[in-house]
Amino acid sequence: MLKDLKILLKVQLLRIFGINDILHSHDKKKKSTAILMAFCFLVVGATLAMYVGMVAYSLQMIGMTKLIPSYMLAITSVVILLFTIFKTNGMLFGANDYELLSALPILPKTIVASRFLTMYVNNLAFSALTMIPSAFVYVTFVKVSLWFYVMLILSVFLIPLIPMTIAAMIGAIITAVASRMKHKNLISIVFTMSATLGIMALSFGSGNLKANDYANLSLVLTKQLQKMYPLTSIYSKAMIENNGLSFLIFAVLSIGIFYLFVRLTAWKYVEINSALKAHMTKSNYQFTQLSTKSPLKALYEKERKRFFSSSVYVLNAGIGYIMMLAMGIAILVMGAKRLETMLNIPGFENVIASISPLIIASMVCINSTTSSSISLEGKQWDILLSLPIAPKTIFDSKILVNLTLSIPSAVLTSLMFAFALPFKGMELIWLFVTPMVYCLFSAVAGLSINLKLPKLKWDNEVDVIKQSAATFIFIVVGMISVAIPIAGFFLLRVVSANWIFAATTIFVGGITLLLYYHNMKLDLRKIA
Amino acid sequence: MLTINHLSKTYKGNKPAVSDLSLEIKAGDIYGFIGHNGAGKTTTIKAIVGIIDFEEGEILIDGKSIRTDAKDCKSMLAYIPDNPDLYEHLTGIQYLNFIGDIFQVGKEVREQRIKEYADEFEITSNLGDLISSYSHGMKQKLAIISALLHQPKLLILDEPFVGLDPKAALTLKNRMRQMCDQGCAIFFSTHVLDVAEKLCNKIAIIKNGTLVYDGVMEELTKDNSLEEVFMEVVSHA
């Protein structure tokens, strides 16, 4: 099994990280894309490490140094859990190479383990980037033994296992249930979204801090972290008290749960995949009247159906809009003050009231359907190129699908904010205009980035929706586009927020127009 | 109808895929395009239909350049790729309607043609099912119907008979002859030399990106079968 596992893992990693493109492609563009991707990973990794270090340092400043290891474990685990749920369907099940692998003399458990470990490698980097910088801060202020460092290194490898297994289990159950139903994708989308929101509510909304609790914040936070991720107490005991037995329990639990999952999934793997590949066919079509549409509307319909036909696409490219609406509902129903208490973020109410347009904009920029819409054409890209359609019509159809999702979500969220918080005059205008301009920016910038970095050859939708250079760079660009005005707001206290919103809106709108007209000049035959 | 002048195409970092290729396909021609795997057939076809760019030469469709008047050129042609990778998230009828919308085929004409072709290729009952549930042959039939929908002046096919059952292959051949009689020009690549010999009035043979023969089928196969001639031509060219 181990030999097969090694071979499968190697093939999958070569595909995911584009290593073969770097080594064997004669195409300079592919090589430069890979280098750009590596550079972006480094920048994001360094930013994440710095951020984690700052959070750990903040904990030390308020006298909660001993909370650092368990705090980081809880946050890392919950983030890995949330991000893995969205991948499971595409990575574990329903991949294009399922039939190819099934015909080979490889055990299902080897296939499951190889797929799981491919996801694991991705999460390992995240685990290292959170645990090591925070530990660096910890050891600066607390004297530790050599055993601490050994446990730290081992825990970087162990931490992703349990959250990934739980996420994969949730994903596998949802996939198994959905695969037996007629509307597989819809069921999968609804269940996965509900599970994600449920986990978020349980993890982050578990505390109801009362005013007098602040006096004993350390104890309250410890309790909250335990509620958020029960293993924190064992891990904390291992790392802080140098307790080898606790660490052993943590390690055995991590590996044991993972092993059990692989065995269980392997047992039903063929059945689930067969059900997913099976199609409901009626073969009883009767001609009815056909409706005619303009080319733009026809392309828009095709694009819209493409989006909703894939649960991976909906869950990953639509999560920002759901989160945005959830945030709007939370603000409207509970009020900013109560949310501040629940989330334990001092000053949350003031901040959210001051920079609402940018907060909504940041949610708009979390994802974009367009950043993978060209890549998702995949083998069908040739159909579009052979048809008598101007590139503008193709681009517009993709942008319109994105706007169909983003603009109503942004307007509704702005409305909920407007009812919940005291805005006046120009503030109210920017509350609606700025997020709308960001919706346009997100759609056009996503498309531009994907046109620059298309990936038309893929085996698995997750490769382009979640792990492609285009998606990754879009997120970085989106975050920068919001981070700069937010930084401006905090740094330029003398300048009115309205001026910052106005400048941002005009600048982002201008960039959007430039990108839109630049795209029109592209020769589609040259982009692949 | 289709004029290719000195076409050359090189993929990044590789040797030339097509070198200085010139061809003239007239209305009423059924032009077969044969050659070994990797000889440059698909590259030539993709350049004709505007999927890939090329460094040198020009491709004219009814006098218009695929480079400068791409939309007009594509309105006149239909292309059936070697692998029918269609939009799997659509049903068969949705796909045909999509193609009808893109080519702006009128409602009545569209309905009448879809009925006629779908019945002919025996796929009518499956039109309401998702394309992802189709077999390779069914996808190929759907691709053929979609290509016929706007009655193109130029039909470009890459290995059109792969995956088709014998009856569908015969139906396609009859359709091709009928379209040819009505003044359409057909250019198709194939490895099935028997079909090419019986169906085509003209033939082009490509080897390592270079055209080694083009001319009238009857003249080429006067004394020998196309298979024998092909082997002779490619081994000595």
Side-chain angles (χ1 to χ4, degrees), chain A residues 95-375:
Chain A
N96 285 353
D97 59 354
Y98 165 71
E99 285 176 12
L100 177 80
L101 293 179
S102 298
L104 296 174
I106 307 170
L107 293 169
K109 68 178 177 188
T110 315
I111 301 175
V112 174
S114 75
R115 297 211 188 282
F116 193 93
L117 288 173
T118 310
M119 292 195 281
Y120 171 75
V121 171
N122 286 316
N123 287 325
L124 203 57
F126 183 73
S127 168
L129 286 168
T130 54
M131 297 314 289
I132 294 173
S134 60
F136 183 75
V137 175
Y138 182 78
V139 298
T140 311
F141 298 98
V142 177
K143 202 175 170 215
V144 295
S145 66
L146 184 69
W147 180 231
F148 176 89
Y149 292 102
V150 175
M151 288 193 295
L152 174 72
I153 302 294
L154 288 174
S155 62
V156 166
F157 290 92
L158 291 171
I159 285 168
L161 285 174
I162 289 181
M164 278 181 65
T165 309
I166 296 169
M169 260 152 86
I170 296 171
I173 291 167
I174 291 171
T175 309
V177 172
S179 68
R180 289 157 207 273
M181 303 200 178
K182 189 183 169 192
H183 300 288
K184 291 173 196 165
N185 279 318
L186 186 67
I187 301 285
S188 177
I189 291 164
V190 171
F191 281 6
T192 312
M193 206 58 97
S194 311
T196 309
L197 292 174
I199 291 165
M200 286 174 83
L202 278 174
S203 306
F204 299 110
S206 53
N208 259 323
L209 220 58
K210 295 180 187 78
N212 57 355
D213 284 340
Y214 283 99
N216 207 358
L217 195 59
S218 176
L219 192 67
V220 174
L221 263 180
T222 309
K223 276 186 184 168
Q224 261 186 266
L225 288 174
Q226 277 177 24
K227 202 170 176 186
M228 187 195 236
Y229 193 58
L231 281 184
T232 49
S233 55
I234 303 172
Y235 185 72
S236 180
K237 204 172 178 185
M239 301 303 279
I240 295 165
E241 295 172 20
N242 236 352
N243 189 318
L245 182 66
S246 294
F247 191 79
L248 192 68
I249 294 170
F250 178 73
V252 169
L253 273 175
S254 300
I255 296 168
I257 289 175
F258 160 67
Y259 181 74
L260 206 65
F261 169 77
V262 169
R263 293 304 296 249
L264 276 172
T265 311
W267 174 47
K268 287 280 173 191
Y269 189 66
V270 175
E271 204 178 306
I272 295 172
N273 268 297
S274 305
L276 278 176
K277 293 271 171 192
H279 299 278
M280 296 273 182
T281 52
K282 290 181 185 157
S283 303
N284 60 353
Y285 179 74
Q286 298 284 325
F287 274 103
T288 51
Q289 284 219 327
L290 297 174
S291 60
T292 55
K293 292 179 275 297
S294 68
L296 176 63
K297 198 157 179 226
L299 281 165
Y300 171 82
E301 285 292 306
K302 174 203 81 102
E303 202 64 24
R304 189 181 57 80
K305 286 189 174 115
R306 177 70 181 89
F307 178 72
F308 287 107
S309 71
S310 160
S311 57
V312 178
Y313 199 9
V314 173
L315 290 169
N316 288 284
I319 185 70
Y321 312 127
I322 305 281
M323 303 251 292
M324 184 159 65
L325 287 167
M327 183 177 67
I329 293 167
I331 295 259
L332 186 66
V333 174
M334 291 193 264
K337 187 75 203 167
R338 202 167 150 213
L339 276 178
E340 179 177 320
T341 316
M342 274 184 71
L343 296 169
N344 288 336
I345 305 174
F348 175 79
E349 189 189 15
N350 285 339
V351 170
I352 208 152
S354 313
I355 53 166
S356 294
L358 294 173
I359 288 175
I360 301 172
S362 69
M363 295 290 194
V364 169
C365 290
I366 284 178
N367 49 240
S368 172
T369 56
T370 51
S371 65
S372 51
S373 62
I374 297 288
S375 300

Side-chain angles (χ1 to χ4, degrees), chain A residues 26-29 279-296 298-299 301-303 305-307 309 377 379-390 523-526 528, chain B residues 12-14 46 49-54 66-67 71 74-75 77 79 85-90 93-95 97-99 101-107 110-111 114-115 118 124-129 132-133:
Chain A
H26 299 287
D27 188 346
K28 281 182 187 164
K29 195 181 164 193
H279 299 278
M280 296 273 182
T281 52
K282 290 181 185 157
S283 303
N284 60 353
Y285 179 74
Q286 298 284 325
F287 274 103
T288 51
Q289 284 219 327
L290 297 174
S291 60
T292 55
K293 292 179 275 297
S294 68
L296 176 63
L299 281 165
E301 285 292 306
K302 174 203 81 102
E303 202 64 24
K305 286 189 174 115
R306 177 70 181 89
F307 178 72
S309 71
E377 291 286 344
K379 290 174 184 168
Q380 287 93 38
W381 181 238
D382 283 1
I383 298 180
L384 281 187
L385 292 191
S386 69
L387 294 176
I389 334 165
D523 182 346
L524 292 188
R525 294 173 306 173
K526 289 179 181 165
Chain B
K12 284 172 192 167
N14 288 327
K46 286 191 173 182
V49 300
I51 291 174
I52 55 170
D53 198 15
F54 45 91
I66 189 72
R67 268 191 165 147
K71 202 178 163 199
K74 290 174 189 178
S75 300
L77 65 83
Y79 162 60
D85 292 313
L86 310 176
Y87 296 118
E88 305 230 328
H89 61 283
L90 300 180
I93 192 70
Q94 283 171 343
Y95 180 73
N97 215 22
F98 167 73
I99 296 293
D101 286 332
I102 296 294
F103 283 95
Q104 293 289 283
V105 180
K107 189 169 170 277
R110 188 186 305 189
E111 285 175 357
I114 291 176
K115 262 184 201 167
T124 307
S125 63
N126 305 100
L127 287 181
D129 297 331
S132 54
S133 70

